[in-house]
Structures are given as C-alpha cells and as structure tokens.
Amino acid sequence: MEPDMDRADSTETASVILHNVSKTYLLDAVKVPALTDINLVIRPNRFTVLSGASGSGKTTLLNLIGCIDKPDTGEITVSGCKVGELSDDDLSDFRSKNIGFIFQNFNLLPVLSTYENVEYPLLLAGASAKVRGERVTKLLKAVGLSDKAKNLPGQLSGGQRQRVAIARALTRKPKVVIADEPTANLDSKTGTAILALMRYMAERFQISFIFSSHDRDVVKAADDIIYLKDGVIQDPRRKAGGSAP
Amino acid sequence: MMTLSLALRNLLRNRRRSLATLLAMAIGSTSILLFGGFIGLIEYEMQTRNVQRGGHLQIQHRDFFLYGSGNPTGYGISDYPNILAAIQKDEILRGMVTVATPTLQFGGIAGNYVANVSRTIIGNGVIADDINHMRLWNDYNLRSVAPISALDGSAEDAAVVGTGVARVLQLCESLKISNCQKPAAAPQTETESLSDDIAQLIMQETPNETGINPQRIEVLVVNTRGAPNVTSVEVIRAEDQGIKELDEISIMMHLTKIQQLIYGKSTPKATSIMIQLHHTDQIPTALERLAPILADASVNQPLAVLDYRILNPFYVQTVQMFNTMFGMIFVLIAAIVLFTVSNTMNTAVVERTVEIGTLRAIGLRRAGIRRLFVTEGALLGVCGSVLGIVLAVILAAVVNRMDIRWMPPTYVESVPLTILVWGETRMLLGTTFGLICISILSAWWPAYRAAKLDVVDALRHV
C-alpha cells in the first residue's frame, strides 16, 4: 500500500519513513510473515498509534522503527538516516541519540535510583556531570518526580515507574519515542495521566511519539492511527493537523 | 566508573548467590595460600639447612662434583688460601659474604678395632668455628635452630660422626646415643682375615687394654703418595645426618688434622671453598665478582663455582615436587572456581535478559554488555581473592601459634610448623592475579552470550 499519510508534504521532514518493508519470523521451521510490504510515513511531533489485534504486527513494526530489529526487505529511514546501512555499534549509537523507548513493563534498571535511571543514557553519551545534573533535574521536575530522585524503582508505584521511563526516554532529546503498550500495566486513571504527560512532553520537547496499543484512550488521544491486520496496513488515518486518506 | 558501579550493584542485588560464590572463591584461595605457605616453609627450611651446611656457593675443581667422590684428594685446590684472600680483598664480595671457608673431603675406613668393627667413610675436614658460624644463617627468620657442631673448641684429634657410623662402630653406649641398640646377635669376627699391612697399622695404633678410650676410633686414609695412613681420633659426638646412607658414612674432623694425614709435609689443599652469603638473591652478583678471581686461580687448575641447588639435587627435586603439587592443587581449585563463577554469571545473564535488552535498546553497545559482565566476574575475583588472603593470614597465624611440630624432609629433629603467608608477596600476588584471571575467564563466555543476544528476543524474554 502507498504511504498515504503525508507522502506529499512530509517525506523530507518525516520522523520515520518505511519503504516496502517486510519481515518474516521463523516459528520452528515454519515461516510466519509478520509484516508485508509496508510503506509508511510518520509525521514529526505527532502522537502516532499502531493499532490492531494481537499478532497483527504492531510490535514488529515498532521494533523496526525503533531500530532494534531489521527488516528482511525494504528500507527504513529514521530522522533522515537510512538505518539499514548502519553497523550494529552505529545502530546502538543511533538509538542512544535519536530514539527513546518506553516499555509496557517500564524496564527500569532495578539497581539504579530514579535519578540514575534517567541519567544513564547521558552517561552512555559521555555527558559532563553538569550537563547530566541539569538535564535530569529538569526532566524529573517535568514528570513530577523530583522528590523521588533517590528512590529505587522497587519503591515506586507503576505510574511513577512509567514516568521515570518517560523521563529516561527523553533524556537525550530524541526525535522519536517508541512506546510499546505504555499504559497496559497501569490502571485507567494512571494510564490517562501518563498519556497526558506524554502529550505534554511531546509538545514541550517537540518529539514524535509512536505507540502500539489496544487501549481505546490511547487510540483516542492519537493524532495519527495506523491499523494493522495480518502484517498489512489497513487504514492509515489522520485525526488532526493533516488530511485523512 | 559507571560499569564498575553497575557491576557492583548487580552483585549486591543477589547477595546470597554472590556470597556463596565469594565463599567458594575465598576457600579456594585460602587453600592455595595455606598449601603454598606450607611448601614455602619446606623450601625455606631445606634451603636454610643446605646453606648452613654447605654455603651458597662452592669453589671446586671443575670435575670434583661429578668425579671427586672416587678420589677426593685428587681434585684438591692447591692455592686455596690465595683465593680466600682474594675474596676478602674484593670490596663487594666482602660485604656479601658471611663465611668463606675451605673444606677437604676424604674417603677412607673408620674402625673400632677393640670392637673388631670397621666401615668405609666419607669425611670432611673443616674449620669448626666457620662451620658453626655458617649454622647461624637464618635469612628467612625460621623458628627452627640448627644444632651447633661439637667440633668447635675441641681437641685437634676430635671427630664428629653420623649416628649410623657410631652405631656400626658400636659407639652408641659410650656416646650415650638413644635409640641405638646393640645387634641382637654378635657378628662373626673376621680379624684374622685382615690383610697384614692393615693389621700391623692396627696393632701400632691400638692402645693397651688398660688405656682404652671407648670413644676412640682409627681412621685410615690414603695419602697423596698412595700409601695408607692411619690416625686415632676421639669421637666426641654423633649427629644424625637425616639420610641413612649418609648417616652411616659421615665423619667430620678438623681440617688441619686431616690435611696432615693426607698431605703430610706437602702443601695442604682443600677440595672446596664454601661461600655463604647474607642473602640467597646475592648469588648472581657474587658469581660475577668471583669470575675474575677464579680466572686468576684457574691458570694451573680448572676451577668452577657451583651453587647450593647444583650441590643439593635432592633439595631441587623436593622443591620441584612440591611446586608440581602446588600447581596441581591450583589447577583443581581454579577449575572449581571457574565453574562456580561461570555458573553464577550464566544465571545472572538468564535472570537479567530483559535488562540486557533494555540496555541494548537505549544504546549500550555489545561491548558494553560484555564489559559489564566481565567486570562483575573480575569483581568477584578481586573480592574472593582478598577474602581468601584475609582468611589465609588468620588461619596461618592461628596454626603458627599452636606450636605444632613436624619433621621436614632430611631433618632429624622436629621443628615448629610455620605456615608462611603474610609477607610472601609473590605467592599472594600470583594467587590473586591467577584467581582474578580465572574469574574473568569464567565470566567471559556468559558475557559473550549476553552481548550476542538479539535485542528483541531479550526484551521478549519471560
């Protein structure tokens, strides 16, 4: 299918472009197509949701956009960089600099405090102590966890952990944040608050958030929605800031 | 720093498992160090005893060590006083040498003809004062003390024999040697069968019945002209030589006495010049300084310097044997440590698979993952080794205070058991370094596996 969304006006400024991307998994000896011939443009600074039933290929697509998986065929461009051409180390560096991750299970490092978890990507980047201090303090304040800086993840609630994860994802000012079912393990009230926080952060820091989610509230909150079925895009839709297909 | 901190925290995260691993390493390290400390004691005891008896170096005729036992006096050093003087004259050597003394080895027959017994002997003529001075050498501060030779200050015709010689010559009673019983049955006498010349010599030297000294024996040697020469000596003490074969042939006499017997009015010689240094590690320097002295002295006679290791092959063999045992034990313990650490790290990798995926997703390179787990292994190695050292030092101190006694190889008297751990820098560093390397090696494979994990698979791990 054609990359209907914003093909005309946004390929140069798009956050992510997928061109003829396919991915197949081997389940025992059987080849299972996860994504088939995906063409897609994701607009910058928007909330984009990948939606669909279980096994539709949402997470696979998210993994490919997040550069933690590679397509069998096709080309992926993230923030203007053709990631298929990068070596493993270069991909790591690219992810560190350009992509933030928010996981369903938060995936914080349990031995690091809230502050250290948020600081970790900056340590990887070799940032100075001053830069790290300023950035982490600012982010913790933005997610409302300044008073929990010294707490370990085990001492935080689910919502607080996800807020730490959001702060960590934004530490290096990425262009794209990948969020795999970010509200799945949260109650609806906390989920709503987390969504609101992500919306606020996206606007404040000019970031593209790309979700995979079943959650109706998440889908409702999205600017763009991409429906997947059996590894094929069914219905790309734009809710705000652009034309519908 | 970040990797180290993260590695340390990860180890502290599962304290029980880390502690079990540390204890396994520490016990391994302690075992190695205690055994190493024990064999260190054996080495020091044997080295000390050898140096006390024969010095660090001996100047000899080039062929004396290999062929001299057949005709010791045939390999005498003619101008040994000049060599001794040259050693004293060398400023550097003088500062290193504690004793430089001549000795004359000889072979012959010792007989107690009153008891109608005799046996072949190999003896040494020594300067008794120098011999006792040499026996004070204790560079390793061992708690055992070498017995002082009774020859010092004794009459010129005094002799000290091995207890085996005393037993065979039936001197035990007069010398009051314990555990030295007379034979159950009297041996058949063979006096009549002695050759005429020996019998004549015996008759000349044998005192009248009324003047019998039960400690006097006759020593027969061959002089430089090939003629037999006999002298009567008084055995003033029997000393156990530690090895039965040596104990049954050993005799020590004053150098001047044996020189008179062998060389008569000719210029006396010595078969060796024993040189004892302050410290064993001075041997290379001493050899360098001795080289020109020997070159001068070797004009008319080929001389060589042999160190105590060549002179005492049993010492070298014993040390090698214990070192081999130490190596075997180290390898066995290292294998246990390797599997213990490896098992711990493998478990950690499995448990932390999702974390590995997360770290990789947020930008840590494969090398960073490897570094993290290898650092954890290294930390286990460092902590386990240090704990092992502490335990070994404490246990060694406890054992050393218990005053347990034992008998090292070739010793005839028991000495306090001392396990040398503290201060044995080479052993401590070697063991620590070895165990850290093994820990790193153990962690390498799990770390490699962790780094090879696919990010998506790792994140999906349950």
Side-chain angles (χ1 to χ4, degrees), chain B residues 163-455:
Chain B
T163 50
V165 173
R167 186 179 62 247
V168 172
L169 296 183
Q170 297 185 15
L171 301 170
C172 293
E173 203 173 308
S174 55
L175 290 171
K176 297 185 177 71
I177 302 169
S178 57
N179 297 324
C180 182
Q181 294 159 344
K182 280 186 176 178
Q188 289 184 334
T189 55
E190 297 283 344
T191 314
E192 291 78 10
S193 64
L194 287 172
S195 59
D196 291 344
D197 51 349
I198 303 294
Q200 196 174 351
L201 282 165
I202 292 166
M203 294 305 292
Q204 286 171 10
E205 294 293 333
T206 305
N208 294 329
E209 285 293 319
T210 50
I212 286 175
N213 179 345
Q215 289 176 218
R216 287 206 87 83
I217 60 170
E218 285 70 42
V219 173
L220 182 149
V221 297
V222 178
N223 66 20
T224 48
R225 290 186 296 275
N229 208 354
V230 174
T231 188
S232 172
V233 295
E234 182 182 358
V235 178
I236 55 171
R237 188 191 284 177
E239 289 178 356
D240 196 331
Q241 303 299 309
I243 301 168
K244 185 173 181 290
E245 290 76 10
L246 183 63
D247 201 42
E248 289 183 349
I249 58 170
S250 172
I251 184 166
M252 192 186 287
M253 293 168 59
H254 287 290
L255 179 66
T256 47
K257 176 75 176 173
I258 198 68
Q259 281 178 329
Q260 279 169 12
L261 199 62
I262 292 171
Y263 297 104
K265 289 179 181 171
S266 331
T267 308
K269 296 180 182 179
T271 48
S272 299
I273 296 171
M274 298 192 291
I275 299 170
Q276 192 185 63
L277 307 170
H278 286 290
H279 310 293
T280 302
D281 59 13
Q282 291 172 324
I283 288 177
T285 316
L287 285 172
E288 272 178 35
R289 303 301 302 181
L290 282 169
I293 296 172
L294 250 65
D296 287 346
S298 293
V299 175
N300 299 318
Q301 53 192 344
L303 297 179
V305 187
L306 307 176
D307 75 21
Y308 71 99
R309 287 163 293 209
I310 296 169
L311 293 164
N312 300 285
F314 181 70
Y315 160 76
V316 175
Q317 288 163 358
T318 307
V319 170
Q320 279 175 349
M321 182 188 77
F322 278 106
N323 283 342
T324 306
M325 286 168 68
F326 180 79
M328 291 286 287
I329 286 174
F330 188 93
V331 168
L332 288 175
I333 289 175
I336 293 168
V337 168
L338 192 127
F339 283 107
T340 308
V341 176
S342 185
N343 185 47
T344 300
M345 299 311 296
N346 273 317
T347 311
V349 169
V350 173
E351 278 180 2
R352 283 158 48 198
T353 300
V354 176
E355 260 178 70
I356 293 163
T358 307
L359 287 168
R360 292 278 291 122
I362 63 178
L364 187 62
R365 292 179 173 191
R366 288 189 198 278
I369 297 287
R370 269 199 302 272
R371 198 160 44 240
L372 180 63
F373 282 95
V374 167
T375 305
E376 286 180 33
L379 271 176
L380 279 174
V382 170
C383 297
S385 302
V386 170
L387 189 61
I389 289 173
V390 172
L391 282 175
V393 168
I394 292 170
L395 283 173
V398 170
V399 169
N400 295 346
R401 280 176 181 272
M402 287 169 76
D403 200 30
I404 301 167
R405 299 185 76 81
W406 76 298
M407 209 175 288
T410 73
Y411 271 49
V412 292
E413 74 281 6
S414 65
V415 297
L417 175 65
T418 311
I419 295 177
L420 307 167
V421 177
W422 189 247
E424 294 299 301
T425 316
R426 220 179 97 200
M427 178 179 73
L428 290 172
L429 287 179
T431 305
T432 304
F433 181 73
L435 285 178
I436 291 171
C437 286
I438 288 160
S439 302
I440 290 172
L441 192 69
S442 316
W444 177 256
W445 178 243
Y448 177 79
R449 275 184 46 233
K452 285 284 279 182
L453 279 173
D454 183 78
V455 183

Side-chain angles (χ1 to χ4, degrees), chain A residues 168-235:
Chain A
R168 182 180 67 183
L170 302 181
T171 307
R172 290 203 67 193
K173 303 178 184 172
K175 298 282 188 294
V176 177
V177 169
I178 305 289
D180 188 10
E181 308 263 9
T183 57
N185 281 352
L186 302 173
D187 59 67
S188 59
K189 191 178 165 190
T190 311
T192 306
I194 288 293
L195 269 178
L197 175 66
M198 287 197 279
R199 167 68 75 182
Y200 164 73
M201 302 297 264
E203 285 168 7
R204 180 172 169 185
F205 296 105
Q206 295 293 294
I207 297 164
S208 303
F209 270 76
I210 306 170
F211 301 85
S212 74
S213 185
H214 290 105
D215 191 338
R216 285 182 183 177
D217 289 339
V218 176
V219 175
K220 250 190 266 178
D223 297 321
D224 297 330
I225 304 164
I226 297 158
Y227 287 105
L228 284 160
K229 187 178 179 185
D230 297 330
V232 177
I233 293 178
Q234 299 295 311
D235 181 18

Side-chain angles (χ1 to χ4, degrees), chain B residues 28-54:
Chain B
S29 170
T30 304
S31 309
I32 291 170
L33 292 173
L34 289 179
F35 185 66
F38 176 63
I39 65 170
L41 169 72
I42 294 173
E43 184 177 349
Y44 289 155
E45 286 279 7
M46 289 184 73
Q47 187 192 119
T48 299
R49 198 49 60 99
N50 287 326
V51 169
Q52 285 172 343
R53 287 175 185 271

